[in-house]
């Protein structure tokens, strides 16, 4: 676990916390401006909603599942030097393929169908991620531009595909996937039911999300492949110098990133919570929330689990805002502010590091550095 | 009475005292050298004088009056000007536009260039700088650019002139001209601070010399009464062998054979490399000399596979490697100490151990079925640290970015030499390093040669070229214009080749 919070880990966690607290405070100001009398009870509710009942906590886990995956998708790409803003499209594409198989592949027994759904969703996400990857590697098209394009192409393509395959005109959305071909609940819903009337929506998806985070961590930190990917991300020229094919790595990195987002889409719509894909011309919010999650988790896979939980926790509080006469969108403002502060805190952190480097640059080389660097080697 | 007196300056950075109670006294009309190794605190001291850093202790006096310098504007107002090591010029502006930049005279918002032009021209004439003020910076030579920087100071009527390592980018002829200009300026009553680590130059122009070592002032001496050996001992803190102990080369078989290499320039520009042919044999050090930007970098990119070529053939040990991939060239026995250690040589955000294996991480020794062998990596890094005396805060776990330049370079040099290559391509391996580290790296290169390796050294430092090479190739505008024997050629002659004034036909 040493690698988790390597070096400036304390500073990293601190900067995320500062962002969250600052975001919450600005959120409070917005609440006060909207309706001062209800602001404080509502604010307290945002802070406590996730822990008010065991079912609420189950819901937090349920909300966290897809955004942990999109967060991992963005964070993984970021570690390799790419800004995958296309998680939304990859998420949607993966989701569609998963639902398509779930609804139509009736010739497969449900558990097998589920497995095929998940794998196909990853493949679909990977293919959708490969497009900006290939464009970046071979045509030097910035991935942000092509990702934005593939996001919209993805939405309209998926809408069109839904209309022609698994459309349920009554609900203007996809048909339902039979319960047996959804993610098994493993009794989690009941476990988190508490004394509520209905079980929680949490299901085995959260376990897959956590498992994915661990796998991503292992790939990045423990394998030769991760060594190459991160070398490319940190310094493409040095990677090339070392004979690493940076083109291949860009494509692979975008594919893996897309696969993770696609898996997120599958887990979201195969959750068994009764949600279906609507035919609407909007990008999935999970894809963009993934950027916030990755930022909060500072691209660290394990940090991203907590980032996802935190945003999910705030979202749950947001849903309950209506009780206090606020619109639930207020929580979007809070989240947005947190993200702004994240970026801001990152900037401050970067400036602090720069300042430290600048002074390091003044250090006399070869043994004249600070006292602790005078010793050869150290104990490692 | 001193024109500038910096008294007891102390400047601290986290974990390090960059200037420790340093006093520097500059007399009017003198050329005062500031000597020290890299990291000795010369730049910090000058940055304090220029108002870029605020010192924790000490004060600055001008003509006996204490002054408060909080930024470059204050420094300029006090008549302090500086020629930076990396020029601060706008490349697509003309010489004249660069000179007046920041002190433009305007009339109702319209630039008044006529007076400025006349003043610049008369200054240029007065000091024999011979500058065409209408040319754009990108079209003039580096030596000319430096004269523009000098003109900038004269135009601003600065009386205290700081030159930060001004000779690093110049040919011997240009260095001579610069020395003359400096002497002329001093004779007129201007005071010059001359930052350098080259002893010959100090002996040539400086009146007095202040030596810094590890942030402390070692002393101020009269240059005329002090020998080069004494100066270098003050600088390094121990006796330094100024000449290398070099055996005769024992030249063996042909290792690298380059024929008719050419590389196209970016659209419309002239070729980066034109018909370059060269050979390097086992047991010899072939040195490519030349002024920066004359195709040396492109030659190395072509040889190592970092950039595609448009014509010619490269053969290593009898095998055509013209189209071979970078990694494969490495496997065939090519090692490469790159020019820019931060850009190519290191992943700065990786720990030292990960940089130690940058070229060999994929070998079975360091990975098994795709998983890195952390133990092996650490052991290797620690071995390399001991072997090459690499100093760092946390050993193998040190983030490479936090290490000093010299120690970063040792990681690269150690790593590349340890690959036991047939051909070692070393590009400016001693750039930015202090005397001690340079000595160490030169010894390593000679050791490689004596062990029968072929060494191709690309260097901008003529002294290095002359001292260490067995054969010298001079590059000018992407072509090889001379193939010289270091024992038979003079600095002056090399300078003529380097500046394109002379060429021999090289086959």
């Amino acid at each position: 676990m040493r690698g988790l919070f390597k070096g400036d880990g304390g500073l990293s966690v601190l900067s995320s916390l500062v962002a969250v607290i600052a975001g919450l405070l600005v959120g409070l100001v917005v609440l006060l401006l909207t309706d001062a009398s209800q602001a404080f009870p509502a604010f307290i509710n945002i802070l406590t909603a996730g822990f008010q009942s065991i079912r609420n906590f189950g819901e937090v886990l349920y909300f966290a599942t897809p955004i942990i995956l999109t967060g991992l998708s963005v964070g993984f790409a970021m570690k390799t030097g790419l800004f995958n803003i296309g998680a939304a499209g990859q998420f949607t594409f993966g989701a569609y393929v998963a639902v398509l198989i779930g609804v139509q592949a009736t010739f497969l027994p449900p558990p097998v169908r589920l497995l095929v759904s998940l794998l196909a969703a990853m493949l679909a996400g990977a293919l959708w991620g490969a497009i900006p990857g290939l464009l970046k590697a071979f045509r030097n098209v910035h991935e942000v531009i092509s990702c934005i394009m593939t996001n919209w192409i993805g939405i309209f393509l998926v809408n069109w595909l839904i209309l022609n395959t698994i459309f349920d005109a009554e609900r203007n959305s996809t048909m339902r996937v039979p319960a047996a071909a959804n993610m098994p609940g493993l009794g989690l819903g009941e476990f988190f039911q508490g004394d509520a009337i209905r079980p929680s929506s949490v299901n085995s998806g959260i376990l897959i999300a956590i498992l994915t985070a661990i796998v991503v961590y292992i790939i990045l930190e423990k394998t030769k492949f991760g060594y190459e990917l991160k070398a490319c991300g940190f310094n493409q020229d040095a990677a090339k110098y070392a004979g690493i094919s940076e083109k291949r790595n860009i494509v692979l990195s975008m594919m893996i990133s897309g696969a993770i987002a696609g898996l997120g889409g599958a887990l979201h719509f195969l959750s068994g919570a009764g949600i279906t894909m609507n035919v609407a011309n909007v990008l999935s919010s999970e894809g963009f929330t993934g950027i916030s999650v990755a930022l909060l988790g500072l691209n660290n896979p394990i940090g991203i689990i907590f980032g996802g939980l935190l945003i999910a926790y705030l979202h749950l509080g947001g849903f309950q805002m209506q009780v206090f006469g606020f619109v639930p969108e207020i929580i979007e403002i809070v989240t947005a502010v947190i993200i702004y502060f994240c970026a801001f805190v990152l900037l401050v952190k970067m400036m602090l590091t720069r300042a430290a480097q600048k002074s390091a640059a003044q250090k006399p080389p070869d043994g004249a550095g600070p006292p602790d660097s005078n010793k050869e080697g150290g104990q490692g | 009475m001193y024109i500038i007196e910096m008294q007891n300056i102390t400047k601290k950075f986290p974990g390090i005292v960059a200037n420790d109670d340093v006093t520097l006294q500059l007399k009017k009309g003198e050329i005062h050298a500031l000597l020290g190794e890299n990291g000795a605190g010369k730049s910090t001291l000058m940055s304090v004088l220029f108002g870029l850093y605020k010192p924790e202790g000490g004060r600055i006096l001008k003509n006996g009056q204490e002054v408060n310098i909080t930024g470059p504007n204050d420094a300029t107002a006090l008549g302090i000007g500086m020629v930076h090591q990396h020029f601060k010029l706008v490349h697509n502006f003309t010489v004249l536009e660069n000179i007046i930049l920041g002190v433009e005279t305007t009339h109702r918002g319209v630039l008044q260039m006529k007076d400025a032009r006349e003043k610049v021209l008369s200054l240029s004439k007065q000091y024999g700088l011979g500058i065409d003020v209408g040319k754009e910076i990108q079209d003039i030579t580096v030596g000319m650019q430096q004269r523009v920087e000098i003109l900038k100071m004269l135009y601003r009527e600065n009386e205290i002139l700081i030159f930060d390592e001004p000779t690093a980018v110049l040919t011997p002829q240009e260095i001579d001209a610069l020395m003359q200009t400096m002497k002329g300026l001093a004779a007129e009553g201007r005071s010059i601070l001359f930052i350098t680590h080259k002893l010959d130059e100090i002996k040539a122009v400086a009146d007095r010399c202040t030596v810094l070592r590890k942030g402390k002032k070692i002393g101020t001496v009269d240059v005329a009464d002090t020998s080069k050996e004494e100066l270098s001992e003050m600088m390094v803190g121990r006796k330094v062998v100024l000449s290398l102990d070099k055996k005769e080369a024992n030249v063996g078989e042909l290792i690298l054979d380059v024929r008719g290499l050419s590389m196209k320039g970016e659209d419309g520009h002239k070729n980066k490399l034109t018909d370059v042919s060269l050979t390097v044999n086992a047991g010899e050090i072939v040195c490519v000399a030349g002024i920066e930007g004359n195709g040396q970098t492109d030659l190395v990119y072509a040889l190592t596979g970092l950039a595609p070529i448009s014509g010619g053939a490269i053969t290593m040990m009898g095998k055509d490697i013209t189209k071979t991939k970078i990694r494969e060239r490495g496997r065939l026995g090519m090692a490469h100490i790159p020019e820019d250690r931060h850009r190519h040589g290191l992943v700065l955000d990786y720990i030292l151990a990960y940089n130690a294996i940058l070229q060999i991480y994929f070998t079975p020794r360091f990975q098994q079925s795709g998983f890195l062998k952390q133990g092996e990596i650490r052991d290797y890094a620690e071995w390399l640290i001991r072997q090459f005396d690499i100093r760092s805060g946390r050993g193998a776990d040190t983030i490479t970015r936090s290490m000093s330049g010299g120690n970063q370079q040792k990681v690269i040099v150690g790593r590349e030499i340890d690959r036991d290559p047939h051909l070692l391509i070393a590009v400016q391996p001693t750039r930015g390093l202090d005397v001690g580290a340079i000595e160490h790296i030169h010894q390593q290169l000679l050791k490689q040669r004596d062990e029968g390796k072929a060494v191709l050294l690309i260097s901008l430092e003529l002294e290095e070229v002359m001292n260490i090479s067995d054969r010298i190739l001079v590059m000018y505008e992407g072509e090889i214009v001379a193939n010289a024997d270091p024992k038979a050629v003079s600095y002056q002659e090399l300078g003529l080749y380097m500046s394109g004034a002379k060429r021999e036909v090289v086959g």
Side-chain angles (χ1 to χ4, degrees):
Chain A
M1 286 283 122
R2 167 166 45 176
L4 274 190
F5 300 110
K6 209 182 294 173
D8 54 359
L11 194 59
S12 303
V13 172
L14 185 72
S15 59
S16 290
L17 281 180
V18 168
V20 171
I21 291 166
L24 286 171
L25 289 180
V26 174
L28 177 60
V29 171
V30 175
L31 292 180
L32 282 168
L33 290 174
T34 318
D35 181 355
S37 64
Q38 290 292 306
F40 282 99
F43 186 68
I44 304 280
N45 191 61
I46 291 178
L47 296 184
T48 56
F51 287 133
Q52 276 166 7
S53 71
I54 188 162
R55 185 175 185 280
N56 278 7
F57 191 71
E59 294 301 292
V60 169
L61 295 178
Y62 162 69
F63 288 133
T65 304
I67 59 176
I68 287 176
L69 283 157
T70 50
L72 285 170
S73 168
V74 175
F76 178 84
M78 206 73 94
K79 278 266 185 188
T80 65
L82 296 163
F83 187 22
N84 179 20
I85 203 173
Q90 297 143 13
F91 179 91
T92 307
F93 219 69
Y96 166 72
V97 171
V99 173
L100 177 73
I101 291 172
V103 171
Q104 293 205 324
T106 45
F107 51 89
L108 293 170
V112 178
R113 206 193 308 167
L114 173 64
L115 197 66
V116 173
S117 284
L118 296 183
L119 292 176
M122 290 174 75
L123 190 65
L127 287 177
W128 213 240
I131 298 171
L134 288 165
L135 285 170
K136 166 100 178 181
F138 293 99
R139 280 285 164 265
N140 203 22
V141 178
H142 199 284
E143 72 274 14
V144 167
I145 303 294
S146 48
C147 275
I148 291 172
M149 291 180 180
T150 50
N151 273 346
W152 287 104
I153 297 170
I155 293 301
F156 288 109
L157 186 63
V158 164
N159 282 345
W160 180 77
L161 286 170
I162 290 174
L163 288 174
N164 287 288
T165 50
I166 46 173
F167 188 56
D168 179 346
E170 263 175 50
R171 287 181 292 133
N172 187 36
S173 81
T174 55
M175 297 172 207
R176 279 177 196 280
V177 175
N182 278 325
M183 292 301 293
L186 298 181
L188 285 170
E190 290 72 27
F191 178 81
F192 282 102
Q193 183 171 9
D195 44 14
I197 306 157
R198 287 181 297 121
S200 164
S201 311
V202 63
N203 58 76
S204 52
I206 184 70
L207 302 179
I208 295 203
I210 292 169
L211 189 71
T212 310
I214 294 169
V215 170
V216 167
Y217 173 76
I218 290 172
I219 290 179
L220 283 174
E221 302 299 330
K222 302 291 174 201
T223 68
K224 178 183 114 181
F225 181 47
Y227 177 92
E228 292 180 339
L229 285 174
K230 281 195 299 175
C232 281
F234 282 135
N235 184 347
Q236 212 168 312
D237 291 314
K240 190 176 176 188
Y241 158 86
I244 298 168
S245 164
E246 81 278 24
K247 288 186 166 55
R248 170 180 165 268
N249 273 330
I250 287 171
V251 178
L252 279 179
S253 173
M254 280 305 291
M255 287 181 74
I256 292 172
S257 179
I260 299 170
L263 179 63
L267 293 184
H268 187 53
F269 288 102
L270 298 183
S271 65
I275 48 164
T276 49
M277 294 178 77
N278 288 330
V279 175
N281 298 337
V282 283
L283 293 173
S284 82
S285 64
E286 286 82 1
F288 292 104
T289 310
I291 298 172
S292 325
V293 171
L295 270 172
L296 265 179
L298 293 166
N299 303 328
N300 178 313
I302 310 302
I304 284 170
I305 297 179
F306 290 104
L309 287 173
L310 186 88
I311 301 256
Y313 186 94
L314 293 176
H315 262 270
L316 186 79
F319 286 130
Q320 298 189 351
M321 295 305 279
Q322 293 162 92
V323 179
F324 301 90
F326 293 103
V327 289
E329 281 80 5
I330 203 98
I331 207 68
E332 301 290 345
I333 296 177
V334 175
T335 332
V337 171
I338 290 175
I339 300 318
Y340 276 116
F341 276 91
C342 261
F344 180 68
V345 172
L346 276 179
L347 193 76
V348 173
K349 196 185 151 201
M350 205 164 71
M351 283 177 352
L352 284 174
T353 326
R354 285 260 167 84
Q357 272 162 26
K358 210 171 176 185
S359 64
Q362 301 287 332
K363 275 179 204 167
D366 297 310
D372 65 320
S373 74
N374 256 334
K375 283 262 154 50
E376 177 220 359
Q379 50 270 28
Chain B
M1 173 76 79
Y2 297 100
I3 184 154
I4 284 287
E5 189 170 10
M6 300 179 79
Q7 288 181 343
N8 312 97
I9 300 292
T10 297
K11 174 68 202 164
K12 291 176 187 159
F13 292 108
I16 180 87
V17 184
N19 287 151
D20 187 357
D21 196 21
V22 175
T23 295
L24 177 77
Q25 293 158 325
L26 179 66
K27 288 181 191 162
K28 187 169 166 58
E30 76 166 340
I31 300 181
H32 192 119
L34 189 55
L35 176 68
E37 296 190 311
N38 287 290
K42 294 171 297 187
S43 303
T44 307
L45 190 64
M46 287 306 105
S47 298
V48 167
L49 180 57
F50 220 59
L52 298 170
Y53 292 139
K54 192 173 164 46
E56 276 82 37
R59 53 186 200 149
I60 300 172
L61 288 85
K62 189 189 177 202
N63 295 323
Q65 298 281 314
E66 182 163 354
V67 290
N68 183 22
I69 305 177
T70 57
N73 287 341
D74 291 351
T76 310
L78 289 168
I80 303 171
M82 184 158 174
V83 176
H84 295 268
Q85 201 172 353
H86 300 283
F87 306 146
K88 316 271 182 208
L89 297 170
V90 184
H91 273 221
N92 52 356
F93 269 22
T94 63
V95 169
L96 183 64
E97 284 165 340
N98 267 287
I99 289 171
I100 64 165
L101 190 62
V103 290
E104 308 89 350
T105 11
T106 55
H107 180 67
R108 292 198 186 117
V110 179
L111 272 176
Q112 301 296 300
M113 300 289 268
K114 194 163 159 279
D115 296 348
R117 176 187 296 272
E118 272 165 23
K119 187 173 166 192
V120 170
L121 280 175
S122 78
L123 281 171
S124 171
K125 205 171 161 199
Q126 186 185 341
Y127 294 95
L129 296 175
I131 285 179
D132 181 349
V133 297
K135 279 210 166 147
E136 285 185 14
I137 295 299
Q138 58 199 4
D139 298 327
I140 63 177
T141 64
V142 177
M144 205 59 103
Q145 291 177 15
Q146 188 174 59
R147 284 183 233 166
V148 175
E149 286 281 12
I150 295 172
L151 259 182
K152 251 164 83 177
M153 296 196 295
L154 297 175
Y155 186 80
R156 285 161 179 69
E157 289 166 3
N158 294 145
E159 45 180 339
I160 298 135
L161 314 178
I162 306 170
F163 288 84
D164 188 4
E165 309 248 356
T167 59
V169 290
L170 304 182
T171 65
Q173 283 80 3
E174 285 173 327
I175 292 174
D176 287 345
L178 173 69
M179 300 280 160
Q180 288 310 318
T181 308
M182 285 168 73
K183 280 182 183 163
L185 291 167
E188 264 189 9
R190 289 178 217 261
S191 317
I192 295 178
L193 269 168
F194 176 33
I195 305 174
T196 186
H197 57 249
K198 292 184 184 165
L199 304 171
D200 288 322
E201 292 166 5
I202 294 178
K203 290 299 277 182
V205 292
D207 301 305
R208 296 194 305 150
C209 176
T210 295
V211 185
L212 297 183
R213 187 170 77 226
K214 295 182 181 176
K216 290 198 173 66
K217 176 179 167 178
I218 303 302
T220 299
V221 293
D222 280 324
V223 173
D225 310 333
T226 316
S227 71
K228 277 203 279 183
E229 282 70 24
E230 287 168 301
L231 283 173
S232 72
E233 204 178 324
M234 286 175 79
M235 170 166 73
V236 184
R238 62 182 164 83
K239 289 221 184 296
V240 179
V241 193
L242 286 177
S243 61
L244 276 165
D245 178 26
K246 193 172 134 200
K247 281 178 262 173
E248 265 314 292
N250 184 10
V251 179
E253 58 180 321
L254 180 67
I255 299 287
L256 178 73
D257 188 10
V258 179
R259 287 285 141 227
L261 198 65
S262 55
M263 190 189 279
K264 278 211 172 68
E266 273 127 43
D267 23 47
H269 287 80
K270 61 178 188 242
N271 276 359
K272 288 174 172 170
L273 295 174
T274 312
D275 196 24
V276 171
S277 298
L278 62 94
T279 58
V280 188
N281 287 52
E284 69 168 346
I285 297 181
V286 174
C287 193
V288 177
I291 300 167
E292 189 158 19
N294 273 283
Q296 302 96 315
T297 305
D298 303 300
L299 174 64
V300 172
Y301 283 4
L303 295 180
T304 54
L306 279 168
I309 58 172
S310 50
I314 308 165
T315 314
M316 190 166 80
M317 304 180 71
K319 194 175 184 318
D320 181 7
I321 57 161
T322 314
K323 290 201 169 72
T324 306
K325 288 205 160 106
I326 296 172
R327 170 144 318 157
E328 198 51 33
R329 292 184 202 212
R331 283 201 180 125
L332 288 169
M334 181 190 286
H336 175 198
I337 299 168
E339 174 177 2
D340 188 335
R341 58 177 162 260
H342 289 174
R343 185 170 167 211
H344 285 114
L346 297 166
V347 179
L348 287 174
D349 296 300
Y350 267 168
I351 54 171
L352 195 165
Y354 273 20
N355 272 304
I357 58 161
L358 189 60
Q359 301 267 30
I360 43 172
Y361 70 89
F362 52 85
T363 56
R365 182 174 169 195
F366 297 109
Q367 60 103 12
Q368 193 173 22
S369 16
F371 282 85
L372 295 173
K373 294 179 181 170
Q374 298 291 350
E376 283 286 335
I377 293 171
R378 200 155 302 277
D379 289 347
Y380 175 70
E382 269 154 23
W383 178 84
L384 203 69
I385 286 169
R386 281 194 303 275
Q387 204 69 19
F388 290 90
D389 188 27
I390 302 164
R391 296 171 195 193
S392 62
R394 298 173 54 216
D397 278 327
T398 315
I399 296 288
T400 316
R401 191 182 286 285
S402 71
M403 294 165 58
S404 72
N407 283 301
Q408 289 176 348
Q409 187 72 355
K410 281 186 194 170
V411 174
I412 300 174
V413 171
R415 171 184 87 196
E416 296 301 310
I417 286 178
D418 188 56
R419 287 165 81 189
D420 195 22
H422 296 293
L423 171 69
L424 175 63
I425 300 177
V427 192
Q428 297 186 52
T430 59
R431 172 143 93 174
L433 303 188
D434 60 67
V435 178
I438 291 174
E439 205 183 341
H440 180 256
I441 286 174
H442 282 167
Q443 278 163 3
Q444 292 291 343
L445 291 178
L446 282 173
K447 194 166 152 240
Q448 291 297 301
R449 179 195 80 156
D450 294 340
E451 284 173 10
K453 313 282 167 59
V455 180
L456 183 67
L457 172 71
I458 284 81
S459 175
L460 301 176
E461 302 271 346
L462 266 190
E463 215 174 305
E464 179 171 81
V465 173
M466 289 295 249
N467 283 339
I468 199 171
S469 65
D470 299 309
R471 202 144 56 79
I472 300 172
L473 303 172
V474 183
M475 279 194 92
Y476 176 71
E477 300 207 321
E479 292 179 72
I480 291 188
V481 296
N483 183 350
D485 178 351
K487 292 194 208 83
V489 72
S490 69
Y491 278 83
Q492 305 310 322
E493 200 181 346
L494 279 181
L496 293 176
Y497 288 128
M498 284 162 63
S499 58
K502 187 177 171 187
R503 66 181 293 163
E504 67 176 41
V505 180
V506 185

